[in-house]
Amino acid sequence: MTNTFSEQLLERRLSLSDLVQDLKADGHLTDEDLIRIGLSSKVKVHPLVFLADQNLPDAATPGAYLTMDRLLAWLGSKVGQAVYRIDPLKINVTAVSDVMSKAFAERHHILALEVNDGDVVIASAEPFMRSWESNLEHVLRKPIRRVLADPQEILRHTADFYNMAVSVRGARSNDRPAGPAGLGNLEQMLEIGSNNEPDANDQHIVKIVDWLLQYAFEQRASDIHIEPRRDVGNVRFRIDGVLHSVYELPAQVCAAVSSRVKILGRMDVAEKRRPQDGRLKTRTPNGSEVELRLSTLPTAFGEKLVMRIFDPDLMQRSFEQLGLADADLQHWQDMTSCGHGIVLVTGPTGSGKTTTLYSTLRQLAKPEVNVCTIEDPIEMVEGAFNQMQVNHSINLDFSTGVRALMRQDPDIIMVGEIRDLETANMAIQAALTGHLVLSTLHTNDSPSSISRLLELGAPAYLIRATVRGIMSQRLVRILCPHCKAFGELDLDAWQQLTQPWDVTPPAQIARPVGCHKCRETGYQGRQGIYEVLVNSRTVQEQIMPQLDTQKIRAIAMAEGMQTLRLSGAARVARGETTIEEVMRVAPQMDT
């Protein structure tokens, strides 16, 4: 170490003057930068935050700027401490909040991040403050490993972690049976495992629910899972299609959290033996309105709750933003602008079918057109068309709903899913009488959707006459534009992805690296890969009771259809995703 930091390791806080002088000595700042900073001015924030906010160019690296990441990396090399990017999804909040009190953490501006068998990792933005180390090591009876972190992140996560821990402890303390010495009588002790959960309207439970929702919005989660186990309840977020464990709640607190959400969703709180559905609206930290679809499921240890988050901004995206472009987009628009017939979207749960259908309906819903839907449940309330929800308790299913919609003078009908022959027949009848019908099927690819309709019992000649086309889709994670790196192609992996077709390999492909903007995953957001089958005259000739899906696939590909894997391979070649990601979501077709 050199310059100011090498003089002596005194117990002192970082100062702006010391930082600036050392940055200049190391060639990162110029004399003009020093004048711009104005050392005479008093800084009310941490000097690292102040410098990062100045957006100063890094004189040592042309084209780069002294961001917080660069400043921390430089400071870490000067003081011999590693830089730690705080990812709350990877931190055991319960464990780290037990390391020290909130008052101790705030007083010394530190935060515990990991509790390992051999040491405890503590983050700080003040590398020369050491007075707290010996006291903490004495209490923990473990060595401390210090790391550097963004002072703003330390401040924010200290508040988040300890507020959540305090709420959980508070809710748990309210879950004690009354009686002598706080133990309660035998009857109360027997009830504690089932009925003695905290009040769902308790202020601590309210805070836990609010924290989980806001945290999910910040992390771009699409689903929140609250899963009861024997002793604890697991909270998991699905982010970019992958589940991440977030928190462990005591069993009784977990049950109270589920009850609180059920109250917000106007569900039957007392009924825990049967599945229920509900919905609620709330707001994100930036003030935008978000709708959540709720679903409960009785399990061995209590009710499992899943909250699916529907972002209205996602529904407003164009087809190009969703990943549907070029020839596939043209085929899709040709099929849906026909005015009559059946257009199907296929794929597993969570593959983006609803978003595609809503985006399509929003484009088709002109003032002179009557658009009606029958859904189970209504995914997103939309003012541009008329929506009806399936209600099995009054025998209102898809087929009954389509029959009712036919008497409403519709131009376009959207059926949530074709599950049985009666619904398929109603969709076919609606198409034959001049309506455009959009619906979904759960099949692996586009050609097998025709086979599924035949298996349901729909006549082949009616499928030939009514189906305009089928689009199968999946969602792949897109590489983070801030950190992805390009490298050599693994030719064997490329051939495994594109077999049995001969596709020219790209010169290089991108790979995930990981940065703070993508939470070290290397991916940020998802887009679709598509397989669009147009029911052309040559394809229609192959639709018969003894269907050969491979022959239909071959004909469709000769007419320009790309399989899901080939669509994904094109994204790999453009440096948008990886071979592993496409192979993870796209099925291997029979050759």
Side-chain angles (χ1 to χ4, degrees):
M1 296 189 292
T2 60
N3 305 321
T4 307
F5 292 157
S6 63
E7 294 173 3
Q8 52 183 342
L9 298 181
L10 298 174
E11 179 79 10
R12 59 186 173 84
R13 296 195 179 278
L14 291 177
S15 68
L16 182 60
S17 59
D18 286 348
L19 285 173
V20 168
Q21 292 300 326
D22 271 58
L23 283 166
K24 182 179 182 299
D26 288 351
H28 296 284
L29 291 177
T30 63
D31 291 332
E32 292 77 11
D33 294 328
L34 266 63
I35 297 173
R36 175 181 170 185
I37 294 171
L39 295 179
S40 59
S41 61
K42 291 186 178 180
V43 178
K44 296 182 180 180
V45 297
H46 193 283
L48 287 174
V49 176
F50 177 82
L51 287 173
D53 289 343
Q54 302 307 303
N55 199 31
L56 297 167
D58 187 348
T61 309
Y65 289 84
L66 291 176
T67 61
M68 180 60 74
D69 288 341
R70 281 186 169 272
L71 289 169
L72 286 173
W74 167 80
L75 180 59
S77 65
K78 297 284 285 184
V79 301
Q81 292 183 15
V83 177
Y84 197 107
R85 174 60 61 179
I86 301 176
D87 182 359
L89 292 178
K90 298 178 181 178
I91 292 176
N92 186 336
V93 177
T94 305
V96 300
S97 62
D98 288 337
V99 169
M100 67 188 87
S101 68
K102 183 181 181 182
F104 188 87
E106 290 179 335
R107 182 165 65 252
H108 297 288
H109 307 285
I110 59 177
L111 179 63
L113 299 177
E114 296 179 16
V115 181
N116 306 312
D117 293 336
D119 61 11
V120 178
V121 178
I122 306 291
S124 169
E126 296 290 349
F128 304 123
M129 299 299 293
R130 294 180 169 79
S131 59
W132 51 269
E133 287 186 20
S134 58
N135 292 334
L136 195 56
E137 284 186 335
H138 177 73
V139 172
L140 297 176
R141 297 181 180 179
K142 283 184 180 181
I144 287 173
R145 176 157 53 96
R146 294 189 55 158
V147 293
L148 278 176
D150 184 339
Q152 292 175 308
E153 289 189 358
I154 292 175
L155 184 64
R156 180 165 68 91
H157 291 304
T158 297
D160 287 345
F161 293 169
Y162 282 96
N163 288 344
M164 181 63 173
V166 167
S167 295
V168 172
R169 291 192 191 101
R172 199 171 188 179
S173 66
N174 292 338
D175 177 35
R176 291 176 181 169
L183 295 177
N185 57 39
L186 178 60
E187 182 177 318
Q188 291 171 323
M189 294 176 67
L190 292 174
E191 290 177 352
I192 191 171
S194 57
N195 300 323
N196 198 29
E197 69 183 47
D199 183 1
N201 292 316
D202 180 83
Q203 61 172 338
H204 299 296
I205 300 299
V206 172
K207 288 181 179 179
I208 293 171
V209 173
D210 290 345
W211 182 83
L212 286 176
L213 292 177
Q214 298 304 312
Y215 189 25
F217 300 149
E218 290 177 2
Q219 298 296 323
R220 299 183 297 104
S222 61
D223 301 85
I224 305 171
H225 292 241
I226 300 178
E227 304 167 325
R229 297 292 185 262
R230 184 180 300 276
D231 300 315
V232 297
N234 293 333
V235 179
R236 298 196 290 173
F237 291 169
R238 187 178 296 278
I239 303 173
D240 292 338
V242 179
L243 279 171
H244 300 264
S245 295
V246 174
Y247 206 93
E248 283 190 353
L249 295 169
Q252 286 77 24
V253 175
C254 178
V257 167
S258 297
S259 296
R260 171 65 183 171
V261 175
K262 289 171 69 176
I263 291 173
L264 295 175
R266 298 180 181 178
M267 301 161 71
D268 187 350
V269 181
E271 179 57 75
K272 299 184 178 182
R273 299 167 301 171
R274 62 180 178 85
Q276 294 187 65
D277 293 310
R279 60 193 331 117
L280 67 87
K281 284 188 177 181
T282 185
R283 292 191 177 275
T284 64
N286 60 17
S288 60
E289 190 176 78
V290 171
E291 187 163 322
L292 290 85
R293 196 182 80 191
L294 314 177
S295 175
T296 65
L297 183 74
T299 68
F301 301 111
E303 277 189 303
K304 179 183 188 298
L305 173 68
V306 174
M307 293 177 271
R308 174 159 288 187
I309 302 170
F310 288 97
D311 185 353
D313 294 337
L314 182 63
M315 296 295 183
Q316 300 290 342
R317 291 183 183 176
S318 65
F319 287 122
E320 289 79 5
Q321 290 173 317
L322 297 175
L324 184 60
D326 304 328
D328 287 342
L329 177 58
Q330 187 60 52
H331 289 320
W332 179 250
Q333 291 178 333
D334 290 343
M335 292 187 299
T336 55
S337 62
C338 184
H340 61 89
I342 299 174
V343 179
L344 297 173
V345 183
T346 77
T349 301
S351 60
K353 301 188 298 299
T354 299
T355 302
T356 298
L357 285 176
Y358 271 68
S359 299
T360 302
L361 288 175
R362 192 172 288 107
Q363 288 195 359
L364 296 174
K366 304 289 193 300
E368 63 273 14
V369 175
N370 179 18
V371 179
C372 300
T373 74
I374 173 71
E375 306 172 58
D376 184 22
I378 295 173
E379 304 279 13
M380 179 68 66
V381 177
E382 174 59 51
F385 34 89
N386 308 289
Q387 297 169 278
M388 177 168 60
Q389 180 163 317
V390 165
N391 189 342
H392 295 287
S393 64
I394 57 173
N395 296 322
L396 176 58
D397 53 18
F398 282 120
S399 58
T400 307
V402 175
R403 188 178 293 109
L405 291 179
M406 290 285 287
R407 296 191 289 270
Q408 290 288 313
D409 186 31
D411 297 292
I412 301 171
I413 298 173
M414 194 269 274
V415 183
E417 183 184 352
I418 295 178
R419 300 174 179 172
D420 51 42
L421 176 59
E422 190 174 4
T423 305
N425 283 336
M426 290 306 304
I428 289 171
Q429 292 304 314
L432 288 173
T433 51
H435 303 89
L436 175 63
V437 180
L438 282 74
S439 189
T440 68
L441 279 176
H442 286 290
T443 57
N444 284 332
D445 63 340
S446 297
S448 59
S449 298
I450 299 175
S451 177
R452 175 65 55 83
L453 291 175
L454 289 170
E455 291 170 359
L456 289 176
Y461 73 94
L462 289 179
I463 298 175
R464 287 196 297 268
T466 57
V467 175
R468 293 287 167 262
I470 304 162
M471 181 167 74
S472 182
Q473 67 178 79
R474 300 291 191 277
L475 292 177
V476 294
R477 291 182 294 172
I478 299 299
L479 287 167
C480 175
H482 304 285
C483 65
K484 68 179 180 181
F486 286 86
E488 294 183 1
L489 169 71
D490 184 342
L491 190 58
D492 291 338
W494 175 263
Q495 291 174 347
Q496 185 179 354
L497 173 66
T498 58
Q499 66 180 353
W501 304 282
D502 185 15
V503 181
T504 303
Q508 59 179 0
I509 60 173
R511 58 180 177 82
V513 176
C515 65
H516 70 278
K517 293 189 177 181
C518 62
R519 303 181 323 278
E520 306 299 336
T521 63
Y523 297 93
Q524 191 173 41
R526 290 188 294 173
Q527 286 191 352
I529 55 174
Y530 301 91
E531 177 182 274
V532 184
L533 186 152
V534 178
N535 194 17
S536 63
R537 187 172 298 276
T538 50
V539 172
Q540 291 176 18
E541 293 172 354
Q542 302 301 317
I543 300 177
M544 55 189 68
Q546 290 74 36
L547 185 74
D548 187 344
T549 55
Q550 293 187 36
K551 192 169 184 179
I552 288 181
R553 184 182 297 113
I555 293 172
M557 291 189 67
E559 295 177 347
M561 183 188 85
Q562 279 194 320
T563 66
L564 287 167
R565 284 206 168 185
L566 290 182
S567 176
R571 282 193 173 276
V572 172
R574 293 195 297 267
E576 297 172 350
T577 190
T578 61
I579 293 175
E580 295 77 15
E581 178 66 13
V582 175
M583 294 180 68
R584 181 180 70 87
V585 302
Q588 173 63 51
M589 296 297 99
D590 296 331
T591 57

